[in-house]
């Protein structure tokens, strides 16, 4: 069968090559090498297909990136059309049509707000990375050279490149690198921010936050009104506000951007994951005109930062199609019903199950926290959340847990029937797990 492209013929060689040569993110490789990984070969709508032909709902939106489903003809066509023109050209010294159009569209979401300059990069981490570096450099060249520190929140996650990682509040990921990064003070909540000393404020360039909901912190929504209060505090103290909407952007929380829910305009807005609908890596950092102006002048004022694939034309074409689809498919208009249904079904599940202690939700982002029937947390080493997610595969659901919180974050294009399937699969997996336990 030379030349046969049917997946099965290759599965074993893919798995062997993975075992021998690949290194996966956030993965205990020692264990990984001993298991047969699921090999994903296809996708259509919210469904993914593995190398054995089994289908699963993409309950984690391919690590929070997918918006309108896989294999969407409009996004696929936009990428193919762009490919017929050119795939990639340097953004260093040249403009390109798709990047120009996209920048205009993105700024168009914030008319008359000053948020009118777009800096492109590749990932969520780099979107934050360049915001942090811009925030520092702006102070250095506008007469506030001592104002170069940051305030971030406990358990926050802003990515893994060094600057973004120095903001991170998840000890297990970031503590060992702490001394190599930018100086950051972590606060727990709004009250602690309001209590920051005048000396510290005098050293602070910017506050950084994931607006409305912290994702990696086991899907934890912030109190209503908090974002607006932070904006007010920043204005009072001349501190910039960096919003990391890498996860919350593009409809996730119910509006196009989470900051719009509290009528807040940031000084820096970091976008990535959903920007291309989950098709290609592309990121954008939107910046206030006033900050941009701080970089005008001689060579010493330029922002010496960039990546080879900055403003990749294929990525920008995908992003434009992604935005078109929000209009064509009325994505935001159809969302409230889906958000309600998901919330209702998950809460009903929690009522039936004495293992689901809490459902946390913000738009089409939800987490169900698992605990023992007596309400105590499971030992971390039991890895209950992870085990439940593995069991869910047998019921046609792919998702991930963060500690013992199972994340439900499907593409926004998910239908009511698919939401029902997802919740039923999750419940079946939890039941499978509990049947094996003796409480
Ligand atoms: C995923 C994520 C990032 C990092 O984005 P990458 O594309 O993985 O580099 C940053 N911030 C938040 C809030 C995220 O969810």
């Amino acid at each position: 069968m030379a030349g046969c492209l049917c997946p099965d013929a290759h599965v074993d060689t893919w798995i062997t090559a993975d075992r021998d040569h690949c290194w996966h993110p956030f993965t205990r490789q020692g264990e990984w090498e001993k298991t047969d990984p699921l090999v994903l070969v296809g996708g259509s709508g919210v469904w993914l297909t593995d190398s054995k032909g089994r289908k699963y709902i993409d309950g984690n939106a391919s690590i929070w990136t997918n918006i309108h489903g896989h294999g969407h003809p409009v996004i696929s066509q936009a990428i193919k059309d762009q490919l017929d023109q050119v795939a990639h050209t340097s953004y260093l010294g040249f403009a390109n049509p798709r990047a120009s159009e996209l920048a205009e569209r993105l700024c168009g979401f914030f008319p008359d707000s000053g948020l009118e300059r777009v800096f492109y990069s590749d990932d969520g981490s780099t979107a934050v990375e360049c915001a942090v570096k811009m925030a520092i450099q702006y102070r250095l060249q506008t007469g506030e050279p001592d104002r170069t520190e940051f305030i971030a929140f406990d358990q926050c996650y802003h990515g893994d490149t060094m600057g973004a990682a120095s903001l991170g509040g998840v000890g297990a990921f970031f503590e060992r690198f702490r001394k190599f990064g930018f100086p950051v003070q972590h606060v727990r909540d709004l009250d602690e921010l309001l209590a920051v000393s005048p000396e510290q404020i005098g050293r602070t360039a910017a506050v950084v936050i994931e607006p409305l909901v912290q994702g990696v912190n086991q899907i934890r929504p912030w109190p209503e009104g908090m974002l607006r209060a932070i904006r007010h505090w920043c204005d009072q103290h001349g501190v910039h506000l960096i919003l990391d909407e890498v996860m919350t952007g593009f409809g996730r929380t119910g509006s196009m951007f989470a900051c719009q829910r509290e009528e807040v305009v940031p000084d820096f807005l970091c976008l990535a994951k959903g920007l291309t609908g989950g098709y290609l890596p592309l990121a954008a950092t939107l910046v206030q005109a006033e900050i941009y102006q701080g970089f005008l002048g001689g060579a010493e004022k330029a922002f010496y930062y960039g990546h080879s694939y900055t403003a990749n034309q294929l990525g920008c074409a995908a992003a434009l199609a992604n935005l078109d689809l929000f209009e064509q498919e009325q994505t935001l208009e159809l969302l409230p019903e889906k958000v309600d249904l998901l919330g209702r079904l998950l809460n009903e599940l929690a009522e039936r199950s004495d293992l689901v202690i809490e459902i946390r939700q913000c738009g089409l982002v939800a987490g169900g926290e698992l605990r023992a029937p007596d309400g105590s947390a499971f030992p971390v080493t039991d890895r209950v959340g992870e085990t439940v997610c593995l069991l869910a595969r047998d019921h046609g659901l792919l998702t991930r847990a963060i500690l013992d919180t199972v994340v439900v974050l499907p593409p926004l294009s998910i239908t009511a029937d698919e939401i029902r399937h997802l919740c039923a699969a999750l419940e079946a997996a939890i039941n499978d797990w509990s049947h094996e336990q003796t409480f």
Side-chain angles (χ1 to χ4, degrees), residues 64 123-125 157-159 210 244 246-247 273:
W64 308 358
D123 287 282
S125 305
Y157 179 82
H158 297 292
E210 301 156 80
D244 176 353
V246 172
M247 185 273 277
K273 289 193 170 110

Side-chain angles (χ1 to χ4, degrees), residues 82 89-91 94-101 310-313 316:
Q82 183 57 48
T89 52
S90 172
Y91 210 52
F94 304 98
N96 87 56
R98 299 296 89 78
S100 297
E101 290 163 8
T310 293
N312 176 259
Q313 298 216 34
C316 291

